[in-house]
């Protein structure tokens, strides 16, 4: 209950938005790929709020959810064309979704188990190909979340698995 109330907090959301935009701007300035952010929200209403926060910072943001399939399909097309900076996800874009320019994961919701957490993190672990790609910038993923979402244990477990 506490982590969900933190997730819905505007202060928490704004902090995550600001930090993820910092990473996006760094990667776009130093790298050669058109980096994008994928965010995950608790609900459709939460996704709309997050979208609006990103738009306050002059980024093109959209949200996708299973209750608006037609719009979501067009948003995914626009994302893949590079017309969207941030896509906010509500129970979509899971296993099998592949778009390498997604290199920053902004987590706005708690996860209780490793599997959905790992699925979400996996969206930003796709290698960006190209002649001008700078691997140490363009192919480094960033995960941004608020400490009070209680994700440290999942991150530690996930990170340790990648090192082995």
């Amino acid at each position: 209950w506490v982590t969900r109330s933190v997730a819905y907090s505007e202060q928490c959301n704004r902090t995550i938005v600001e930090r993820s935009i910092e990473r996006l701007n760094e990667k776009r300035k130093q790298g050669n790929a058109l980096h994008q952010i994928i965010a995950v929200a608790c609900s459709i209403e939460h996704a709309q709020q997050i979208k609006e926060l990103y738009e306050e910072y002059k980024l093109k943001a959209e949200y996708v959810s299973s209750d608006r399939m037609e719009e979501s399909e067009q948003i995914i097309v626009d994302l893949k064309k590079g017309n969207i900076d941030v896509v906010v996800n509500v129970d979509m874009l899971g296993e099998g979704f592949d778009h390498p320019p997604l290199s920053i994961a902004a987590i706005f919701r708690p996860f209780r188990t490793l599997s959905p957490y790992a699925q979400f993190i996996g969206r930003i672990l796709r290698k960006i190909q190209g002649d001008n790609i700078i691997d140490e910038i363009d192919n480094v993923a960033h995960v941004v979340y608020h400490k009070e979402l209680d994700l440290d244990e999942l991150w530690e477990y996930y990170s340790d698995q990648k090192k082995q």
Side-chain angles (χ1 to χ4, degrees):
W1 183 87
V2 172
T3 55
R4 274 186 107 43
S5 65
V6 168
Y8 281 104
S9 153
E10 184 181 345
Q11 183 179 353
C12 171
N13 290 337
R14 190 169 296 279
T15 299
I16 296 167
V17 164
E18 289 171 354
R19 296 301 173 271
S20 62
I21 291 172
E22 287 173 10
R23 297 290 84 75
L24 179 68
N25 289 338
E26 288 170 3
K27 292 178 82 62
R28 285 184 173 178
K29 183 178 179 182
Q30 298 170 5
N32 290 326
L34 179 63
H35 295 277
Q36 296 164 305
I37 297 170
I38 184 170
V40 62
C42 296
S43 66
I44 293 166
E45 181 180 331
H46 191 215
Q48 291 168 335
Q49 292 167 355
I50 293 165
K51 172 189 178 294
E52 290 170 7
L53 280 173
Y54 278 109
E55 290 173 340
E56 282 182 26
Y57 291 89
K58 307 299 184 222
L59 291 182
K60 175 67 176 151
E62 291 291 348
Y63 76 94
V64 295
S65 65
S66 59
D67 77 321
R68 57 190 300 236
M69 286 305 292
E70 227 173 271
E71 296 98 328
S72 294
E73 288 173 11
Q74 184 57 52
I75 290 165
I76 291 167
V77 168
D78 289 341
L79 177 74
K80 290 189 174 196
K81 287 181 179 178
N83 298 331
I84 295 174
D85 299 303
V86 182
V87 62
V88 184
N89 172 37
V90 182
D91 295 329
M92 282 188 70
L93 308 182
E95 188 174 349
F97 182 75
D98 187 19
H99 182 57
L102 292 171
S103 56
I104 298 136
I107 302 176
F108 292 87
R109 59 157 279 197
F111 284 93
R112 294 290 166 239
T113 60
L114 183 63
S115 182
Y117 177 81
Q119 282 293 326
F120 181 68
I121 299 299
R123 300 313 100 216
I124 63 166
L125 297 178
R126 307 294 195 239
K127 184 172 175 72
I128 299 172
Q129 304 290 335
D131 294 334
N132 297 324
I133 297 303
I134 304 168
D135 275 339
E136 54 275 358
I137 297 167
D138 293 317
N139 283 313
V140 173
H142 296 270
V143 179
V144 180
Y145 63 92
H146 196 282
K147 181 132 179 93
E148 297 302 320
L149 288 176
D150 200 24
L151 297 171
D152 288 345
E153 190 174 316
L154 289 173
W155 176 247
E156 292 295 325
Y157 180 84
Y158 189 81
S159 297
D160 286 345
Q161 295 303 307
K162 299 310 257 179
K163 292 176 190 173
Q164 295 177 359

